[in-house]
Amino acid sequence: MSRFRVQVSNALPTLVVGLVAGFTAVVGSYAAAGFTPSFVVTPVTNWIRETSPAVVTNSIIENLGSLGQTLLFLSAVALFVGGIAALVVGSRSLGQRLNNRALPVVATTAGTWAFVALTTGQPLLALGAALPPGAVVLLFVTAPSLPVPEAVDSRRRQVLSSGVALAGFSLAGYAVGQRRTPDLGGEPLAENSKQQQLLQGAAEKSFSMDGAEPLVSENFYTVDIANVDPTVDESEWNLTITGEVDEEVTLGYSDLKAMESVDRFETLRCVGEDLNGKKMDTALWTGVPLQDLVARAGPNGDCDCVRLRAADGYYQVFPMDALEDSLLAYGMNGNALPRGHGYPVRALIPGHWGEIQVKWISEIEVLDQDAEGYWEKKGWHGTGPVETVAKLHAVNDLDDGRKEVGGHAYAGVRGIQQVEVSTDGGSTWNAAELTEPLEGIDTWRQWRYRYDPPGGSHEVVVRATDGEGRLQPSEESDSYPSGATGWVSKTVQ
Ligand SMILES: Nc1nc2c(c(=O)[nH]1)N[C@H]1C(S)=C(S)[C@@H](COP(=O)(O)O)O[C@H]1N2
Ligand SMILES: [Mo]
């Protein structure tokens, strides 16, 4: 009985100490690396994602969106902290058996260091993760054991002061880590008067509707496989054109900037979004034509296909033809690309789903044989042309008693010819107003329809016709595997 009690009370604080040690390792790693791929949580999230079944990752990343990323992040933290706690508990009990107090300290420090150094490839920064848990275990094993009557009170004091120290350490680590997170991208392009003018024009064309983005999105969505975006400085960025080529070509950022640039509006849409989802946005992009650069290398592969690779390990494969009119973009809305949208350089392949718009691009590989891209390996077919869609996001009451419904319509390079609205569940249709097209070859249009409400609840349905005269298909399908289809409808009161 008493033996049992001793063991439990022995094990419990060690587990708590282990969890605290693990937590300080996370804080220490963040302080050393900032929010970069060298922060230990990055490789752990990558590992969880790549070893989880495709159905799980598909729904986490594509459907849960940023919440999924948060869950993934928290489970990575939990896994890492749990691993260190296990290391502390295990080495502590071994140390007790061998009567060696240094063992858990050394094992925790060395074990954490080795793990972080190996997974991040940053042995020096890994010290930031390894020293704090080592120190926690050292304090624990060297703390004087107290006689029983005094133990309760002084343990309470110990717990309290440890808690305060831990909170202080966390706050300081967080502050240091934030300062060490590089601030990359997003600054205004040196010469951006032309872009400002184009943006001004787009603002004038926009319908202003509550509930729907203007023609140039204010909040451009992001979809990332990785939890932490790569940190590639423009000074160290380069792009290599490799594989089945006559001669490899390597380009740096200044090479791109020295070429004649193109400015163009372009819409991106994620194949994984819901039919009426919000992962479809438009920006003004600045970059250089990509096809000429690939031609320079003399591609001679047998499949007429290419694989684009990126700094986060992402890759996509698609036919060479798709490179026609594609851009290597370094600017977004008159600024350098923000880090989250691929700073310093991303690909823009007109008419195709968002997934082939590879961010943080590092390599273009000309292939001999067709291969699967990152998402295709998980069962998606997101490399083809986009589906036609008209979304319904704005439902507003106008001052004059009429209703206003509106949103965006998009059909890739086919363009949008017409949007029709039904306010009686699809029995009768009326043409909606459309915004003037933006300067680009792959852009959405806004649509708007104002009407006298019939009184009471009614069903609004919307459908688009693309520039080739094809009506948006009415058959409903899920986004998986090749994009949601159907007509968006909404019950309006
Ligand atoms: N390197 C890299 N490129 C990427 C991704 C990624 O995870 N890594 N996600 C793709 C997907 S699925 C989409 S929909 C678009 C989204 O681009 P955005 O984040 O700029 O909106 O980027 C694509 N390019
Ligand atoms: Mo996507």
Side-chain angles (χ1 to χ4, degrees):
M1 171 70 186
S2 73
R3 208 186 123 100
F4 174 73
R5 203 180 294 154
V6 166
Q7 275 181 349
V8 170
S9 67
N10 228 357
L12 194 64
T14 312
L15 179 61
V16 173
V17 169
L19 292 171
V20 169
F23 181 73
T24 64
V26 175
V27 174
S29 174
Y30 181 77
F35 206 59
T36 71
S38 307
F39 175 36
V40 66
V41 175
T42 317
V44 182
T45 44
N46 289 349
W47 178 80
I48 296 177
R49 201 183 44 247
E50 298 314 320
T51 53
S52 313
V55 269
V56 176
T57 35
N58 282 343
S59 63
I60 285 183
I61 294 174
E62 293 282 348
N63 300 327
L64 285 181
S66 53
L67 176 66
Q69 291 287 20
T70 309
L71 286 178
L72 193 58
F73 183 84
L74 292 177
S75 32
V77 169
L79 197 66
F80 177 69
V81 169
I84 292 188
L87 181 64
V88 171
V89 171
S91 60
R92 161 89 166 146
S93 97
L94 188 66
Q96 274 172 330
R97 225 171 304 148
L98 301 176
N99 210 5
N100 183 340
R101 279 206 298 182
L103 182 79
V105 181
V106 174
T108 303
T109 314
T112 308
W113 177 82
F115 177 80
V116 177
L118 275 175
T119 54
T120 63
Q122 298 284 348
L124 212 60
L125 295 180
L127 288 175
L131 296 178
V136 169
V137 177
L138 178 69
L139 287 176
F140 174 61
V141 296
T142 55
S145 52
L146 298 152
V148 175
E150 288 156 39
V152 175
D153 231 24
S154 82
R155 169 157 289 178
R156 203 170 284 159
R157 241 177 290 130
Q158 228 174 34
V159 167
L160 197 69
S161 55
S162 309
V164 170
L166 185 63
F169 176 74
S170 307
L171 284 177
Y174 180 70
V176 173
Q178 275 209 311
R179 292 196 48 189
R180 290 184 58 91
T181 305
D183 187 15
L184 293 170
E187 71 282 356
L189 295 174
E191 254 309 322
N192 74 2
S193 50
K194 185 173 167 217
Q195 288 88 359
Q196 293 307 339
Q197 221 174 325
L198 284 162
L199 290 167
Q200 182 59 36
E204 283 159 14
K205 287 175 183 171
S206 274
F207 294 147
S208 150
M209 295 181 283
D210 280 346
E213 285 269 21
L215 275 176
V216 173
S217 304
E218 280 160 359
N219 281 308
F220 203 109
Y221 80 95
T222 53
V223 175
D224 300 312
I225 57 161
N227 220 281
V228 183
D229 294 336
T231 47
V232 188
D233 194 79
E234 58 192 49
S235 61
E236 61 204 33
W237 176 83
N238 64 41
L239 172 71
T240 51
I241 301 169
T242 65
E244 308 300 319
V245 291
D246 296 338
E247 195 181 2
E248 286 197 1
V249 169
T250 302
L251 289 149
Y253 196 73
S254 51
D255 299 324
L256 290 197
K257 294 295 273 263
M259 293 170 63
E260 199 175 333
S261 65
V262 175
D263 297 288
R264 165 167 108 191
F265 292 97
E266 194 157 327
T267 303
L268 264 52
R269 184 183 179 204
C270 185
V271 67
E273 72 152 3
D274 297 337
L275 183 64
N276 201 33
K278 298 216 163 151
K279 287 183 186 154
M280 175 168 100
D281 280 300
T282 299
L284 174 66
W285 307 91
T286 304
V288 301
L290 177 52
Q291 202 175 30
D292 307 352
L293 296 173
V294 177
R296 224 190 263 181
N300 56 33
D302 283 341
C303 64
D304 283 321
C305 59
V306 286
R307 176 159 50 211
L308 268 49
R309 289 189 185 276
D312 58 346
Y314 187 75
Y315 54 93
Q316 281 299 337
V317 181
F318 52 86
M320 199 90 116
D321 295 350
L323 292 180
E324 197 186 338
D325 293 324
S326 63
L327 289 185
L328 276 179
Y330 54 79
M332 184 178 185
N333 298 333
N335 302 319
L337 278 186
R339 181 178 166 199
H341 292 293
Y343 172 85
V345 182
R346 81 176 302 163
L348 288 175
I349 318 289
H352 288 256
W353 293 103
E355 67 164 54
I356 77 167
Q357 320 300 335
V358 174
K359 303 189 269 189
W360 312 288
I361 188 170
S362 58
E363 187 185 345
I364 297 176
E365 210 183 336
V366 178
L367 302 181
D368 239 348
Q369 242 180 44
D370 202 8
E372 286 183 316
Y374 180 90
W375 288 115
E376 281 50 53
K377 277 215 161 92
K378 298 185 188 298
W380 291 86
H381 304 297
T383 52
V386 295
E387 295 282 353
T388 300
V389 69
K391 304 207 179 201
L392 203 183
H393 288 153
V395 178
N396 299 318
D397 291 309
L398 300 176
D399 288 342
D400 60 9
R402 287 184 303 163
K403 291 254 181 222
E404 174 187 76
V405 287
H408 298 86
Y410 176 58
V413 288
R414 300 186 300 278
I416 290 292
Q417 196 173 80
Q418 172 173 255
V419 170
E420 294 165 287
V421 181
S422 169
T423 56
D424 54 13
S427 306
T428 58
W429 294 89
N430 309 281
E433 287 176 78
L434 288 177
T435 48
E436 288 303 307
L438 289 166
E439 291 81 355
I441 50 173
D442 178 13
T443 56
W444 67 12
R445 294 172 85 167
Q446 280 177 311
W447 65 270
R448 175 171 76 182
Y449 183 67
R450 292 169 164 178
Y451 61 101
D452 292 316
S457 157
H458 56 286
E459 189 79 356
V460 176
V461 193
V462 58
R463 65 185 191 191
T465 302
D466 73 14
E468 296 169 359
R470 258 195 315 248
L471 185 63
Q472 176 180 342
S474 59
E475 305 83 66
E476 290 178 13
S477 70
D478 284 343
S479 57
Y480 185 84
S482 44
T485 61
W487 293 346
V488 173
S489 67
K490 223 173 220 177
T491 306
V492 174
Q493 298 300 327

